[in-house]
Amino acid sequence: MKEELAICYTCTNENCFIKKHLHLEQMKQYVSKKHSFICKKSHQFIIEGAPIQGLYFICKGKAKTVKTGINGREQIVRLTKNGDTIGFRGFGTSKRYLIGAYALEDTLLCNFSNDTMMEILKNVPEFTYDLMLFYADELNKSENNIRKIAHMNVRERVIDVLLYIHRKFGQSNGLIEIELSRKEIADFAGTTEEQVIRVLSSLKKEALIKTVGKRIGLLVLPKLQSEIMEHKYF
């Protein structure tokens, strides 16, 4: 991983936790302690079960967080983009990361060590309060994901993933702004690669989506949303 300078004060990620609190005088002493680096596409920067080395914030790029399930299969639990926080699961309560994380493209990451983060949490109440709300929101999302696996059939889960990545990353020139393999979609939807391929083929025949290589474009958003409307998750 290559060290790279990322300056918080010129960062354009207004949704980043650090950036949102730079107006606070106390934060100045902490941003100088971070280090930033580039993680190349497909490389892992958090190993599940490894000792916690603080929190990561995406300055520029995309990443996935994964959890190892039955028979060693990785389940994608979250996709992240510019400004998102990674490594918070288990932070403060566990000595080891509860998830793993990989770069989906060359990604510039900012890392704040355990000691620095603890200092911020103890000395910057506004930051601590906002982080508590963030944890509450993530817990709600996790509970919703559990219900999805229980109540949605395979087609609905794949559609739900497509709608999620469309919301998360947006679409330009008719294609969603992220490249995921069919296996990665399966790992996120909690199904198999073969089932994902079948569902995508069916959606293409129905003219609801289009594909260009690994990229997918949603053609009829209302129709796709209506298929999972009863679950109220999109």
Side-chain angles (χ1 to χ4, degrees), residues 3-19:
E3 290 286 333
E4 184 80 10
L5 180 63
I7 302 173
C8 289
Y9 290 98
T10 58
C11 178
T12 59
N13 297 321
E14 297 300 330
N15 63 316
C16 173
F17 260 106
I18 301 300
K19 176 70 173 182

Side-chain angles (χ1 to χ4, degrees), residues 94-105:
S94 173
K95 294 183 179 180
R96 298 184 180 278
Y97 285 115
L98 302 180
I99 52 87
Y102 298 82
L104 290 171
E105 61 186 35

Side-chain angles (χ1 to χ4, degrees), residues 15-228:
N15 63 316
C16 173
F17 260 106
I18 301 300
K19 176 70 173 182
K20 286 194 293 188
H21 295 87
L22 285 182
H23 65 283
L24 302 173
E25 186 67 27
Q26 308 102 298
M27 289 296 293
K28 292 181 179 179
Q29 61 183 304
Y30 301 120
V31 294
S32 62
K33 297 181 179 181
K34 77 162 187 179
H35 79 274
S36 51
F37 60 92
I38 291 178
C39 183
K40 302 297 287 185
K41 180 179 179 179
S42 301
H43 286 198
Q44 187 171 15
F45 59 93
I46 293 179
I47 299 174
E48 185 177 351
I52 288 180
Q53 302 293 327
L55 296 185
Y56 293 84
F57 301 85
I58 296 184
C59 181
K60 185 178 181 181
K62 300 180 181 72
K64 64 179 180 181
T65 57
V66 301
K67 183 78 175 173
T68 303
I70 299 173
N71 298 323
R73 177 177 174 177
E74 288 185 341
Q75 172 77 38
I76 296 179
V77 296
R78 193 163 172 254
L79 296 173
T80 50
K81 63 177 183 177
N82 297 0
D84 285 343
T85 308
I86 303 178
F88 58 88
R89 294 177 185 271
F91 178 78
T93 61
S94 173
K95 294 183 179 180
R96 298 184 180 278
Y97 285 115
L98 302 180
I99 52 87
Y102 298 82
L104 290 171
E105 61 186 35
D106 290 356
T107 299
L108 178 57
L109 295 158
C110 298
N111 174 257
F112 285 76
S113 69
N114 295 333
D115 290 342
T116 300
M117 286 306 307
M118 286 302 179
E119 286 183 41
I120 294 175
L121 293 175
K122 291 176 181 178
N123 299 313
V124 188
E126 186 176 326
F127 183 98
T128 306
Y129 175 76
D130 287 344
L131 189 62
M132 180 189 70
L133 296 180
F134 171 75
Y135 270 95
D137 185 54
E138 287 298 316
L139 177 60
N140 182 56
K141 290 177 182 177
S142 295
E143 291 174 345
N144 279 340
N145 284 334
I146 292 172
R147 289 198 295 270
K148 287 178 188 178
I149 297 297
H151 298 144
M152 286 183 171
N153 60 39
V154 172
R155 178 183 168 102
E156 289 172 334
R157 293 204 300 271
V158 172
I159 289 174
D160 181 68
V161 169
L162 296 179
L163 290 172
Y164 167 79
I165 62 176
H166 181 271
R167 289 195 308 273
K168 181 79 176 182
F169 299 99
Q171 184 165 295
S172 64
N173 299 320
L175 297 170
I176 299 173
E177 287 292 316
I178 187 173
E179 185 178 287
L180 294 175
S181 69
R182 302 307 184 247
K183 182 180 183 303
E184 286 172 323
I185 294 175
D187 290 343
F188 203 8
T191 185
T192 66
E193 185 176 358
E194 292 75 17
Q195 288 177 315
V196 166
I197 291 172
R198 283 197 290 269
V199 171
L200 293 181
S201 176
S202 177
L203 293 174
K204 284 179 65 176
K205 289 178 181 177
E206 296 169 43
L208 296 176
I209 68 169
K210 69 175 182 179
T211 60
V212 178
K214 293 181 180 179
R215 300 279 296 279
I216 299 172
L218 306 191
L219 301 177
V220 191
L221 204 60
K223 174 62 176 175
L224 291 169
Q225 290 173 337
S226 69
E227 289 213 28
I228 61 170

